[in-house]
Amino acid sequence: MKKFKVTVLPGDGIGPEIISQAVEVMKLVGEKHGCGFEITEELLGGCAIDATGVPLPEKTLNTCRQSDAVLLGAVGGEKWDKLPGHLRPEAGLLGIRSGLGLFANLRPAVIYPALKNASPLRPDIVKDGIDIMVVRELTGGIYFGERGRKETQDRGQAAYDTELYTEAEVERIARLAFEAALKRKKKLTSVDKANVLESSRLWREVVVRVAKDYPDVELNHMYVDNAAMQLVRRPEQFDVVVTTNMFGDILSDEASMITGSIGMLPSASLGSGTLGLYEPIHGSAPDIAGQDRANPIATILSVAMMFRYSFGMEEAALDIEKAVNSVLEKGHRTADIAAPGENYVGTREMGRLIREEIERGN
Ligand code: IPM
Ligand code: MG
């Protein structure tokens, strides 16, 4: 039997509770599809700071490097907010992305038919649904460029962050996005700010060059301000969106919110091999931690992405996605996706319902 090495990073806040539901789903689906797991749990984020003084201990990074896949809950919380930048929980997240060479972040924003009314957009805008794949560059740009502070003569301190992209960095993310588009509706929108930024002009040049290898994909370019507006004006015009680290951070939050269910959306961070990091898009929600109130679906759907991208097990991925869909169709909800006055279940019960559905084979 094939055995995959999975490193689990529960993290902070609601991380541990949603992770435990997702791990149960992973084991069940593995059993059904004939694979097993060697699971190692490690520290990342605030819990790692408390235990070791740093957000990303060496041991965590090494264990992740030796795995087939990494499953992450969420990191961060008020308790660690006053620490200097390089010691915050978020620095652990950035460190693991770059330490594992995960340069592409796939964030699908999908509206579930059963949750159509949850979208904050008018029904005539949502029409038949929203299905956008945001491909965000994850290990370059302003997140990783040179930054610092300096004294000025007479105007106090100055601070700067640098947006820098190499042709090689743009080319590999563009290729990955074109490949993704080929498997979908064959439409790719590259988002930049080429009317102002030199880094964006290089970005656009490289994307245009890569496009020659993908004649079947229809490519268009959009400035980021316009893209932010078009996402709420006519979301159906988008299929795959490829963009820089920071623009992708912002637009993926927007894209997820128009589906009305940020608690439902998974993500995959990929590099040049099959090792991937899978995590929900939402944060650690410290205010509801430990109360069995969090929605585990985004993390469970992240496990589906893990089967798809790291293990090459499409059927297993579909099993999970179908089970989530049927649970929603049957009207089960967690608090965050329940309509006012509607009944809802807790984290554990939602996990159990999804596993029941998988066992039933729906
Ligand atoms: C995300 C988050 C992170 C980011 C933070 C927590 C560092 O917002 O994954 O989108 O900016 O990348
Ligand atoms: Mg973000």
Side-chain angles (χ1 to χ4, degrees):
M1 186 174 69
K2 175 79 189 156
K3 232 178 170 170
F4 295 108
K5 281 191 188 163
V6 177
T7 304
V8 171
L9 310 170
D12 311 313
I14 57 171
E17 1 174 3
I18 52 179
I19 281 287
S20 79
Q21 294 309 314
V23 166
E24 290 308 314
V25 168
M26 181 176 90
K27 288 184 189 158
L28 178 68
V29 173
E31 248 167 60
K32 197 169 155 188
H33 291 266
C35 70
F37 303 97
E38 197 184 307
I39 298 173
T40 316
E41 206 173 295
E42 294 289 350
L43 298 169
L44 180 78
C47 59
I49 298 172
D50 288 347
T52 71
V54 292
L56 173 58
E58 199 63 21
K59 179 161 169 276
T60 297
L61 189 56
N62 285 336
T63 312
C64 291
R65 281 201 176 113
Q66 286 154 27
S67 331
D68 296 303
V70 180
L71 182 64
L72 167 63
V75 299
E78 211 179 314
K79 182 175 172 195
W80 307 283
D81 272 353
K82 298 214 167 58
L83 293 168
H86 68 288
L87 285 179
R88 290 174 57 114
E90 290 82 358
L93 190 56
L94 299 187
I96 202 160
R97 288 171 178 169
S98 98
L100 298 176
L102 306 174
F103 63 84
N105 186 209
L106 270 50
R107 298 187 163 185
V110 178
I111 206 160
Y112 285 79
L115 298 180
K116 226 169 149 176
N117 294 332
S119 173
L121 298 183
R122 288 198 316 260
D124 63 305
I125 297 177
V126 174
K127 286 190 200 130
D128 301 326
I130 294 171
D131 182 1
I132 305 170
M133 176 68 88
V134 179
V135 177
R136 167 190 179 193
E137 200 289 327
L138 202 61
T139 52
I142 200 163
Y143 273 60
F144 293 92
E146 197 188 318
R147 63 170 54 94
R149 292 192 181 212
K150 51 190 176 193
E151 294 299 329
T152 65
Q153 290 277 335
D154 51 0
R155 287 164 296 143
Q157 279 199 353
Y160 61 97
D161 300 270
T162 318
E163 172 88 344
L164 180 139
Y165 271 112
T166 63
E167 290 183 86
E169 281 173 323
V170 181
E171 175 162 351
R172 67 183 179 181
I173 191 74
R175 276 196 194 284
L176 195 139
F178 276 107
E179 292 291 334
L182 272 182
K183 294 192 193 124
R184 296 171 46 104
K185 288 182 232 138
K186 300 189 173 53
K187 259 194 86 178
L188 178 63
T189 304
S190 171
V191 173
D192 61 35
K193 188 73 186 171
N195 49 348
V196 177
L197 304 177
E198 197 53 36
S199 52
S200 279
R201 289 191 270 270
L202 179 71
W203 177 280
R204 199 178 273 219
E205 272 166 45
V206 176
V207 171
V208 167
R209 204 190 302 150
V210 173
K212 297 204 175 81
D213 294 339
Y214 297 91
D216 294 339
V217 176
E218 182 193 331
L219 169 71
N220 70 323
H221 305 274
M222 218 178 252
Y223 298 140
V224 63
D225 49 349
N226 185 30
M229 185 270 278
Q230 296 295 341
L231 269 171
V232 291
R233 189 177 86 102
R234 221 163 50 79
E236 89 269 12
Q237 70 184 289
F238 296 101
D239 178 19
V240 178
V241 172
V242 65
T243 189
T244 63
N245 204 341
M246 188 162 71
F247 294 162
D249 178 45
I250 298 166
L251 292 181
S252 64
D253 265 27
E254 188 189 359
S256 66
M257 190 56 221
I258 63 173
T259 71
S261 42
I262 191 157
M264 303 272 309
L265 299 182
S267 81
S269 301
L270 306 171
S272 49
T274 56
L275 169 62
L277 170 79
Y278 301 86
E279 57 174 316
I281 280 189
H282 61 71
S284 59
D287 53 319
I288 58 163
Q291 299 170 24
D292 195 42
R293 281 172 61 195
N295 185 350
I297 294 182
T299 319
I300 290 171
L301 289 172
S302 299
V303 170
M305 292 187 94
M306 176 185 288
F307 277 104
R308 173 169 297 129
Y309 295 110
S310 281
F311 307 154
M313 294 171 65
E314 179 65 21
E315 290 300 315
L318 289 173
D319 254 11
I320 299 175
E321 290 163 353
K322 276 189 238 156
V324 167
N325 208 29
S326 352
V327 166
L328 293 174
E329 291 291 339
K330 288 182 181 165
H332 301 294
R333 302 283 184 269
T334 43
D336 58 312
I337 52 173
E342 202 175 16
N343 284 336
Y344 55 84
V345 300
T347 313
R348 286 193 294 266
E349 178 62 5
M350 182 51 92
R352 193 194 63 77
L353 285 164
I354 293 170
R355 290 193 293 278
E356 190 177 87
E357 215 50 60
I358 292 169
E359 271 171 338
R360 233 186 250 147
N362 289 333

